[in-house]
């Protein structure tokens, strides 16, 4: 499961309502870390109701690889830190920050107390992974 969650896949995070949104995440220290802040609806939704569910999955019809991880729990909004933020963004954007869109550089280095950048941390109370892969018939 750890190897699967180390890949730069997109998760879908569900909050009360229900509302589902795609998110980039970092799987580290037994938790999912998602960048958020007061500018995002996610921030207010989690403040109002911290119960969330998150799904990371892939389905490759060419290879037959089908894997999924489902997590549930109460999300916490915790202070942002640049080193963890950089590790997360490097997963999706690569090592060279000069190639990143300015928005991501801003999230990383803006003063969190001014912009309000926070982490949504989900330490799952329920975490399940399944490999539903299948053999692809030769053409």
């Amino acid at each position: 499961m750890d190897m699967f969650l180390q890949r730069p896949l997109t998760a879908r995070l569900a909050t009360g309502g229900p509302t589902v949104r795609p998110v980039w995440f970092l799987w580290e220290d037994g938790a999912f870390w998602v960048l958020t802040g007061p500018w995002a609806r996610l921030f207010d939704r989690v403040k109002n109701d911290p119960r969330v569910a998150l799904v990371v999955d892939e389905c490759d019809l060419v290879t037959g690889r089908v894997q999924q991880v489902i997590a549930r729990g109460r999300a916490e909004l915790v202070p942002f830190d640049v080193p963890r933020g950089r590790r997360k963004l490097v997963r999706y954007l690569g090592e060279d920050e000069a190639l990143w869109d300015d928005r991501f550089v801003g999230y990383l280095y803006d003063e969190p107390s001014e912009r309000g950048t926070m982490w949504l941390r989900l330490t799952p109370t329920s975490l399940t992974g399944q490999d539903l892969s299948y053999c692809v018939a030769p053409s």
Side-chain angles (χ1 to χ4, degrees), residues 74-112:
R74 297 179 72 82
E76 302 172 86
L77 296 170
V78 298
F80 182 77
D81 64 286
V82 172
R84 189 184 312 270
R86 186 167 198 296
R87 289 192 300 275
K88 177 196 168 215
L89 292 173
V90 162
R91 285 170 37 96
Y92 294 95
L93 302 171
E95 287 283 341
D96 188 352
E97 290 180 27
L99 300 176
W100 295 7
D101 183 289
D102 289 342
R103 290 174 297 165
F104 300 112
V105 176
Y107 291 136
L108 191 58
Y109 295 115
D110 283 353
E111 175 57 43

Side-chain angles (χ1 to χ4, degrees), residues 117-135:
T117 303
M118 300 282 292
W119 283 117
L120 177 153
R121 178 178 63 201
L122 170 59
T123 304
T125 55
S126 169
L127 182 66
T128 57
Q130 289 188 316
D131 186 337
L132 304 169
S133 298
Y134 57 91
C135 292

